[in-house]
Amino acid sequence: MYLLIHRPKKSSKSVCRRSNIALIFVSVVTLVGCDSRIEKFDPNEVFSLTLAKSESVDMGQAQEDVTKVIETLFGTPESPTWPQDLISEETLVQTERLRRAAGGVSSEQDGTHLGLFQEHCVVCHGVSGNGRGPASQFQNPYPRDFRPGIFKWKLTDRAEKPSREDLRRVLENGIAGTGMPSFSLLAQDDVEALIDYVIYLSVRGELERRLLRISVSSLGYGEEALSDGERLQFPGDEQSKQVIVSNLERIVGQWVAAKDPDEEQRLISFNILEDDAGISRGRELFHGKIANCVGCHGVDGSGGVATLDYDDWTKEYTTRLGISPNDKDALQTFREVGAHRPRPIYPRKLKNGVLRGGDDPVRLFQLIRQGIAGTPMPGVTLVNEENGKGLTEAQIWDLVSYLHSLQDK
Ligand code: HEC
Ligand code: HEC
């Protein structure tokens, strides 16, 4: 079973956590059954409620209409569809791969696996990719909610989508120190089908969120009930179509634009790394005013700096609405529609700590440059010459050398 295959090298603690998760996984699968039919994707009620509170509106009609539109475009968990005729780009997602990843678990006569997402991912990520599968509540961090379209472990820039290669690396390696297992033993075309399905769920979920937001910000939903002619629908009038297509194109465009850095950039990095002078410059930068890594990660990356902060998935329905993540009563309505119990996010211990995204130097360069999307970890300003306001490329490489030197000591 795949959960037992991945052995993180550094932390014995996470091995133990992983096996707990394996147990949970087994029991939950027995409860839900791997091939139970699931008729519909859950609507994003937590986000609707967030909008209802922040805009002081009623979201009932908007939620109903957006759910219909999304279902017309993207189908159901059993028969997903991809709105190819509305999109100019042709290769992002292939319907044959969706078919293989979707639905209940079974095999075709030629041995092709079907229902891959349900078999391997639903228990944590949930049917709609909302990060609320039955085993999710025991985990820290929680499994990713794909619907906001924000991903952490990637070589693309902070505000960009991950590339296909980024998603492939996450599936291949897992995410050390978290519940996310490695899927390196799956056949390559199963992995490709799963990547398409993650992109599909993310595009679907992000369009749903955008349409919900737009329905109250510009389509007049939320105050009084709209008449039939004013409602968002598909296929519908020109205005509806234009709103739907332009938002869909924008999201799809971001996925298509996300590219892995080229080989050349990877090669350069190895020449710069790991000399003693670089490491000690990096150490100084780490503790210095500009990068101020020490402010969160502690002296020599030893951790222990008390910060109380949350990731963006959590802040959206708590601090950004003026609700304290500790205020159980205020959060009750969100919890009832499926929000996770807020969990603080802490800066990592870096000295012999687990690097969740791996220790590849190009990756660490990009991590320092861009920070980690969806989390409090900030990026740095890149400057051409040392000027006290940002870091130069060479200085970032020194920090990479220093981070490497913190491992295995
Ligand atoms: C046992 C629980 C578990 C299972 C099973 C699981 N995941 Fe995850 N996954 C997680 C957790 C936890 C995270 C978040 C880790 C973090 O925030 O660093 C995650 C994160 C991710 C991410 C986001 C990576 C990023 O850069 O932000 C992707 C994509 C992903 N999982 C895909 C999958 C797919 C596809 C499957 C099935 C083949 C799967 N996961 C199965 C727990 C799981
Ligand atoms: C405002 C606080 C803050 C500052 C400043 C900060 N970090 Fe972080 N850092 C975090 C948090 C929070 C995480 C954990 C993110 C997660 O796991 O989702 C993190 C994670 C990391 C990781 C682990 C990545 C992995 O793959 O697991 C590294 C390495 C790192 N930071 C390096 C740095 C460096 C180098 C600097 C200075 C240039 C820095 N950080 C500045 C908050 C901070």
Side-chain angles (χ1 to χ4, degrees):
M1 179 171 154
Y2 60 79
L3 280 158
L4 304 175
I5 299 158
H6 183 93
R7 303 222 186 283
K9 282 171 231 141
K10 301 221 162 79
S11 153
S12 55
K13 215 160 123 205
S14 60
V15 171
C16 173
R17 192 144 91 220
R18 231 164 257 270
S19 22
N20 286 343
I21 287 166
L23 283 180
I24 294 163
F25 179 80
V26 173
S27 51
V28 172
V29 168
T30 340
L31 282 179
V32 249
C34 253
D35 52 359
S36 52
R37 284 179 67 86
I38 294 152
E39 305 288 338
K40 279 186 189 301
F41 288 114
D42 291 335
N44 195 339
E45 292 182 68
V46 174
F47 190 62
S48 286
L49 186 58
T50 305
L51 287 170
K53 300 253 185 216
S54 66
E55 311 297 317
S56 306
V57 290
D58 182 277
M59 288 298 292
Q61 203 183 27
Q63 169 100 54
E64 186 188 323
D65 290 357
V66 169
T67 301
K68 264 192 222 150
V69 169
I70 293 293
E71 196 173 312
T72 312
L73 297 182
F74 294 93
T76 63
E78 289 291 329
S79 349
T81 51
W82 180 246
Q84 187 60 64
D85 39 346
L86 302 181
I87 306 171
S88 42
E89 201 280 332
E90 284 181 7
T91 54
L92 183 62
V93 163
Q94 297 176 16
T95 44
E96 170 56 16
R97 288 187 183 150
L98 291 188
R99 185 185 74 84
R100 298 197 40 207
V105 182
S106 63
S107 295
E108 291 185 323
Q109 284 195 335
D110 64 1
T112 307
H113 291 127
L114 302 177
L116 295 162
F117 192 76
Q118 189 154 330
E119 181 174 5
H120 300 295
C121 322
V122 160
V123 68
C124 289
H125 290 282
V127 173
S128 63
N130 61 6
R132 294 258 328 159
S136 62
Q137 54 183 305
F138 307 105
Q139 295 177 51
N140 190 6
Y142 291 121
R144 183 77 61 256
D145 176 355
F146 301 139
R147 299 169 305 172
I150 298 170
F151 293 79
K152 287 189 198 171
W153 309 116
K154 59 201 174 95
L155 295 182
T156 56
D157 287 356
R158 186 176 187 121
E160 290 176 347
K161 300 293 184 227
S163 65
R164 265 194 102 78
E165 290 79 4
D166 283 321
L167 294 178
R168 202 174 288 128
R169 279 187 287 265
V170 162
L171 289 181
E172 171 83 22
N173 302 326
I175 303 174
T178 81
M180 173 70 193
S182 155
F183 292 92
S184 59
L185 293 194
L186 290 190
Q188 199 51 49
D189 55 341
D190 287 357
V191 170
E192 296 305 315
L194 285 163
I195 293 173
D196 276 43
Y197 201 72
V198 167
I199 297 174
Y200 159 83
L201 287 176
S202 186
V203 171
R204 181 194 168 283
E206 202 176 344
L207 184 66
E208 180 186 25
R209 286 170 53 100
R210 272 174 173 272
L211 293 181
L212 286 168
R213 186 182 288 286
I214 288 170
S215 65
V216 284
S217 67
S218 14
L219 301 181
Y221 280 87
E223 310 252 315
E224 282 165 30
L226 297 185
S227 68
D228 281 356
E230 296 168 314
R231 297 173 75 159
L232 186 75
Q233 36 192 309
F234 188 85
D237 56 24
E238 260 319 296
Q239 194 204 3
S240 280
K241 186 166 179 199
Q242 205 259 333
V243 168
I244 293 165
V245 172
S246 62
N247 281 284
L248 180 62
E249 281 277 12
R250 184 168 317 168
I251 300 165
V252 166
Q254 290 173 348
W255 278 99
V256 174
K259 294 275 181 282
D260 222 31
D262 52 24
E263 224 18 59
E264 211 176 302
Q265 201 181 339
R266 294 174 161 277
L267 292 175
I268 296 170
S269 64
F270 289 106
N271 302 326
I272 304 171
L273 279 176
E274 310 292 353
D275 62 318
D276 287 348
I279 293 173
S280 77
R281 285 194 302 269
R283 181 173 190 282
E284 211 163 297
L285 290 164
F286 188 92
H287 297 86
K289 280 217 175 75
I290 307 172
N292 194 25
C293 317
V294 66
C296 287
H297 292 286
V299 175
D300 286 320
S302 55
V305 179
T307 58
L308 183 60
D309 210 338
Y310 296 83
D311 64 25
D312 287 354
W313 292 269
T314 307
K315 280 180 185 164
E316 185 167 62
Y317 62 88
T318 57
T319 50
R320 285 181 197 148
L321 294 177
I323 298 176
S324 156
N326 295 323
D327 186 341
K328 282 196 179 138
D329 293 338
L331 281 173
Q332 189 54 30
T333 45
F334 285 93
R335 300 270 293 133
E336 279 162 13
V337 292
H340 273 305
R341 186 191 308 278
R343 285 216 171 103
I345 183 170
Y346 297 109
R348 197 78 45 70
K349 171 177 172 289
L350 300 177
K351 196 175 179 75
N352 291 330
V354 177
L355 292 177
R356 296 185 179 168
D359 63 359
D360 177 82
V362 172
R363 208 283 292 189
L364 289 175
F365 181 97
Q366 190 66 347
L367 173 95
I368 296 168
R369 169 87 186 84
Q370 302 290 339
I372 303 174
T375 84
M377 160 93 188
V380 300
T381 312
L382 188 66
V383 293
N384 290 327
E385 286 169 20
E386 293 181 25
N387 65 2
K389 294 196 179 109
L391 299 182
T392 63
E393 279 198 17
Q395 288 179 314
I396 296 180
W397 285 122
D398 288 341
L399 274 168
V400 173
S401 306
Y402 176 63
L403 287 180
H404 271 191
S405 77
L406 291 176
Q407 301 278 310
D408 287 323
K409 284 231 169 113

